Amino acid sequence: MTISHLWSREFLSKRSILWLLLICNILGTIYGYIWYGSQMVDTVSHGYIWQVIFVPDSPTASLFFSLALLLLLYPPKVLGIGLLQQFIEALAVVTSVKYGIWAVAIIFAGQAQGDVLVWQDWMLVASHTAMAVEALLFVRLFHYRWTALVGAIAWTLLNDTVDYTYGVFPWLPGQLYDHLSAVELFTYLLTLLSGFAAWYFMKRTHTKRR
């Protein structure tokens, strides 16, 4: 089996591969929400309950990707659910690419400012890199269109705005709080970059299907 076959659409669409990836993502999603548990509790105790949904960025991205995989395994037959599927797929790609890259960049930015990395940091680097990679690999199986992608980008920009308006962004390495404005700008730009990547791969995929 060649490397090109391993990453082919035919190989990635095998139900065994989809199930394996779904299980891995569900486990990662659960772990991610546990990881954010303290911050979610802190948000409820010091802010408004509605802000909690914007706190666990990475596990929510993983949740979107898990739902997208589930819908590939069991395609909906109802038109309305099909439109919802497109929105979930677009969210899965945009947020997985965005938060996958964001987490890795923030970890290494903290290290550059003097933070000492521990094994959990390297685990996060590996898992978040995988988030971004899997989204760009599996985008060829998705069916989202412009309207769904615009909605996904808008939601992610809203998440950014809530994060940095109300201070519910993911907790950073201590060394980066002096550079919060730069982190905020990077976050917004990365959302736009991730949206562009989702559009580019969507365009390539739809062109190949014609």
Side-chain angles (χ1 to χ4, degrees):
M1 183 178 294
T2 64
I3 296 297
S4 60
H5 179 72
L6 283 174
W7 305 121
S8 68
R9 189 175 188 275
E10 292 73 18
F11 178 78
L12 295 176
S13 62
K14 290 180 179 293
R15 294 185 69 84
S16 58
I17 299 299
L18 293 175
W19 271 112
L20 176 62
L21 201 63
L22 176 61
I23 292 170
C24 291
N25 275 271
I26 289 175
L27 293 175
T29 299
I30 294 171
Y31 179 80
Y33 281 114
I34 294 173
W35 179 277
Y36 275 92
S38 297
Q39 187 174 356
M40 294 170 72
V41 171
D42 184 72
T43 300
V44 171
S45 61
H46 293 90
Y48 298 96
I49 294 179
W50 66 268
Q51 295 174 5
V52 173
I53 191 174
F54 298 100
V55 172
D57 294 334
S58 294
T60 300
S62 180
L63 176 62
F64 288 141
F65 195 81
S66 298
L67 291 174
L69 291 174
L70 188 62
L71 290 169
L72 286 177
L73 286 163
Y74 300 99
K77 304 300 183 182
V78 181
L79 176 60
I81 299 179
L83 296 175
L84 177 61
Q85 179 182 12
Q86 288 191 37
F87 185 52
I88 291 173
E89 290 174 346
L91 281 169
V93 176
V94 173
T95 59
S96 293
V97 172
K98 185 262 183 74
Y99 293 116
I101 296 174
W102 186 91
V104 174
I106 291 299
I107 288 171
F108 286 126
Q111 182 190 39
Q113 294 293 320
D115 189 30
V116 178
L117 302 189
V118 296
W119 72 267
Q120 290 99 329
D121 295 308
W122 294 109
M123 178 269 293
L124 291 173
V125 167
S127 60
H128 283 78
T129 299
M131 280 178 59
V133 171
E134 69 178 5
L136 295 179
L137 280 175
F138 279 81
V139 69
R140 72 189 75 179
L141 305 183
F142 295 156
H143 305 86
Y144 63 85
R145 300 285 181 171
W146 263 109
T147 51
L149 179 56
V150 170
I153 295 171
W155 169 263
T156 311
L157 289 172
L158 173 63
N159 196 338
D160 296 341
T161 301
V162 172
D163 276 356
Y164 293 93
T165 299
Y166 296 97
V168 294
F169 51 83
W171 287 339
L172 305 170
Q175 294 84 351
L176 294 185
Y177 282 92
D178 290 336
H179 307 281
L180 188 56
S181 295
V183 172
E184 179 179 358
L185 177 61
F186 171 70
T187 301
Y188 275 103
L189 291 177
L190 192 53
T191 294
L192 298 177
L193 177 62
S194 300
F196 174 79
W199 165 80
Y200 176 76
F201 282 91
M202 174 193 72
K203 184 178 179 182
R204 285 189 58 187
T205 298
H206 292 167
T207 299
K208 290 180 178 180
R209 287 176 182 170
R210 291 174 183 171

